[in-house]
Amino acid sequence: MFSYTIRQIAQIHNDLIEKFGTPRQSGLTSIRSEIVFEDEFSDLNCFRGLEDFSHIWLIWGFSQVPEDTFSPTVRPPRLGGNVRKGVFATRSPFRPNRLGLSVVRLEEIKPGMLVVSGADLMDGTPIFDIKPYIPYADSIPEASNGWALATTSGILDVVIPQNIADTIPNEKLDVLIELLAQDPRPQYQSNAERIYTMSYGGFEVSFYVENPKLYITKIVKRN
Amino acid sequence: MFSYTIRQIAQIHNDLIEKFGTPRQSGLTSIRSEIVFEDEFSDLNCFRGLEDFSHIWLIWGFSQVPEDTFSPTVRPPRLGGNVRKGVFATRSPFRPNRLGLSVVRLEEIKPGMLVVSGADLMDGTPIFDIKPYIPYADSIPEASNGWALATTSGILDVVIPQNIADTIPNEKLDVLIELLAQDPRPQYQSNAERIYTMSYGGFEVSFYVENPKLYITKIVKRN
């Protein structure tokens, strides 16, 4: 059976320091990330011509998932966590070879670094490949969404009192609201009284949800 | 530096037995392929729910490319072979980790096998992951094509005399014409007198090109 070792060519850095709150797909938010390349791949020539593309693919590793956790079916959080789907019918991390796939917007090319927006990768995630997004091959708007269609629903209306909003820089607040609007809660949790706390960009953010609204109750700077 | 071993979960089987003539991107032809899974992943439960999706991603290995052939720039055949682009600005096989990415149409789900159409993978290529194509995340029709735009031009008009057409089954002929229309020649070759021979589906096909026409001169069954 064919096998070989793949190694990190770059690592992503952003404000998503925990799984809770990390978007479940790419393109749902405007969060910025820096992709920092290993020395070997940091020559600007590696990216020659990439500036003509607006979007790029990242092939990356679910590095927090232990090896050999494969099971034929998984329970996608977006389906409430109690419906089983085949692992190859999902984008679940618990898959053979633990490879992730995301398209992001290319914002800037610097020596040894690409700045992108819209990633759904946690800070520190290893990246194995970067490819240009080629719409004539990659874009199929008429493809059927399958059961994943459900994920576009359930966008929350985020409510934040002005005095709390003032405690966090504007550009971080904008992304925070996008992240929360996606409803980061595990879907099998619908206890409306529960207060959740999420880390984001050096802050701890507390909130509760009363569908279709999400209320931010506190933002505290982390030490 | 983060690294791990990935292994083949499946292998693709189709009529593309040599690189010459293999499409340079997915979705350009209707060629059918069978993706045959390793025993461990052949449980039908692995695909539960996949029938709701029309398209799937394949992450695969450029298994014919030797290890450690990385160079910062490559010369894409579609640009005539004499313009250098950064490897990460191309879909070239000569890249770190040798991973390929293709979207194909899902035609049929069988025990231990997926039947797909539109692949650009050669017969025997190892597959490392299968994911559903989720248009709300993956489809970005307005993304810019970059220099790859050039690849949609140059479609040839394939001419075949009826007596030659009669020597190959109709369904093979249809795909053959799609493959040839993509102009399989190396782009730095524009010698109009040269006769090329390509293997396809158990046949040897000879042709020459006088832009914008491609003339099939002979089809011989292989022994």
Side-chain angles (χ1 to χ4, degrees):
Chain A
M1 193 192 308
F2 189 79
S3 71
Y4 60 83
T5 299
I6 55 174
R7 63 205 172 96
Q8 164 181 314
I9 61 163
Q11 208 178 34
I12 202 164
H13 294 293
N14 59 28
D15 277 338
L16 301 167
I17 60 163
E18 59 178 26
K19 183 154 180 263
F20 187 66
T22 296
R24 295 199 176 94
Q25 296 297 338
S26 57
L28 301 177
T29 73
S30 59
I31 189 167
R32 285 174 86 89
S33 304
E34 292 180 350
I35 297 175
V36 179
F37 284 78
E38 300 292 331
D39 282 352
E40 190 182 346
F41 309 111
S42 63
D43 181 350
L44 265 178
N45 281 319
C46 294
F47 311 113
R48 194 192 297 175
L50 193 59
E51 66 278 5
D52 294 335
F53 295 88
S54 58
H55 292 75
I56 57 175
W57 286 110
L58 313 178
I59 299 180
W60 47 280
F62 288 105
S63 50
Q64 300 211 328
V65 172
E67 255 185 287
D68 297 324
T69 52
F70 171 73
S71 114
T73 58
V74 295
R75 292 179 292 188
R78 279 286 165 185
L79 293 177
N82 44 29
V83 177
R84 288 201 168 270
K85 294 286 176 185
V87 64
F88 298 125
T90 76
R91 303 283 274 251
S92 164
F94 300 98
R95 59 197 313 116
N97 294 321
R98 297 176 287 163
L99 295 173
L101 176 66
S102 305
V103 55
V104 294
R105 177 178 282 278
L106 178 61
E107 302 286 351
E108 208 177 336
I109 300 174
K110 299 179 177 182
M113 183 194 295
L114 299 178
V115 181
V116 300
S117 61
D120 56 344
L121 287 71
M122 280 179 62
D123 183 53
T125 298
I127 292 176
F128 297 122
D129 202 4
I130 304 274
K131 294 178 192 288
Y133 185 94
I134 301 180
Y136 83 77
D138 299 330
S139 179
I140 307 176
E142 73 279 11
S144 49
N145 259 309
W147 59 266
L149 197 57
T151 58
T152 50
S153 62
I155 298 295
L156 299 175
D157 183 14
V158 177
V159 179
I160 179 167
Q162 190 60 48
N163 64 319
I164 295 180
D166 289 343
T167 61
I168 181 170
N170 272 338
E171 69 280 9
K172 280 195 200 281
L173 181 61
D174 291 347
V175 174
L176 176 64
I177 289 173
E178 293 172 340
L179 290 170
L180 291 173
Q182 301 298 321
D183 196 352
R185 296 174 305 161
Q187 298 280 300
Y188 40 88
Q189 263 294 1
S190 57
N191 177 352
E193 285 163 37
R194 173 153 175 195
I195 302 270
Y196 294 87
T197 301
M198 170 179 143
S199 293
Y200 177 72
F203 294 86
E204 299 283 347
V205 181
S206 300
F207 65 89
Y208 67 95
V209 176
E210 276 179 24
N211 264 322
K213 288 186 190 280
L214 180 153
Y215 297 89
I216 297 179
T217 58
K218 197 164 64 175
I219 296 184
V220 182
K221 203 163 181 139
R222 300 177 75 204
N223 296 323
Chain B
M1 192 191 309
F2 189 79
S3 71
Y4 59 82
T5 300
I6 55 174
R7 62 205 173 94
Q8 165 180 315
I9 62 165
Q11 208 178 35
I12 202 163
H13 294 293
N14 59 29
D15 276 338
L16 301 166
I17 60 163
E18 59 178 26
K19 183 152 180 265
F20 186 66
T22 296
R24 295 199 176 95
Q25 296 297 338
S26 56
L28 301 177
T29 73
S30 59
I31 189 167
R32 286 174 85 89
S33 303
E34 293 180 348
I35 297 174
V36 179
F37 285 78
E38 301 290 331
D39 282 350
E40 190 182 346
F41 308 111
S42 63
D43 181 350
L44 264 180
N45 281 318
C46 294
F47 312 113
R48 195 193 296 175
L50 192 60
E51 65 278 6
D52 294 336
F53 295 88
S54 58
H55 292 74
I56 57 176
W57 286 111
L58 312 178
I59 299 180
W60 48 279
F62 288 105
S63 51
Q64 299 211 329
V65 172
E67 254 185 289
D68 297 324
T69 52
F70 171 74
S71 113
T73 59
V74 295
R75 292 179 292 190
R78 279 287 165 183
L79 294 177
N82 44 28
V83 177
R84 288 201 168 268
K85 294 285 177 187
V87 64
F88 298 125
T90 76
R91 304 284 274 253
S92 163
F94 300 98
R95 57 197 315 114
N97 295 320
R98 298 175 287 164
L99 294 173
L101 176 66
S102 304
V103 54
V104 293
R105 176 178 282 278
L106 178 60
E107 300 287 352
E108 207 177 335
I109 300 173
K110 298 180 178 182
M113 183 195 293
L114 300 177
V115 181
V116 301
S117 61
D120 55 344
L121 287 72
M122 279 178 61
D123 183 53
T125 297
I127 292 176
F128 297 121
D129 202 4
I130 304 275
K131 295 178 191 288
Y133 185 93
I134 302 181
Y136 83 78
D138 299 331
S139 178
I140 307 176
E142 73 278 14
S144 50
N145 259 308
W147 60 263
L149 197 59
T151 59
T152 50
S153 63
I155 299 294
L156 299 174
D157 182 16
V158 177
V159 180
I160 178 168
Q162 190 60 49
N163 65 319
I164 296 181
D166 289 343
T167 60
I168 181 170
N170 273 337
E171 69 282 8
K172 280 195 200 279
L173 180 62
D174 291 346
V175 174
L176 176 65
I177 289 173
E178 292 172 339
L179 291 169
L180 291 173
Q182 301 298 321
D183 195 353
R185 297 175 304 162
Q187 298 281 301
Y188 40 87
Q189 264 294 1
S190 56
N191 177 352
E193 284 165 38
R194 172 151 174 197
I195 301 270
Y196 293 87
T197 301
M198 169 179 142
S199 292
Y200 177 73
F203 294 86
E204 300 282 347
V205 182
S206 300
F207 64 90
Y208 67 94
V209 177
E210 273 178 27
N211 265 321
K213 289 184 189 282
L214 180 152
Y215 297 90
I216 297 179
T217 58
K218 195 165 64 173
I219 295 184
V220 183
K221 206 168 177 127
R222 299 177 77 203
N223 297 323

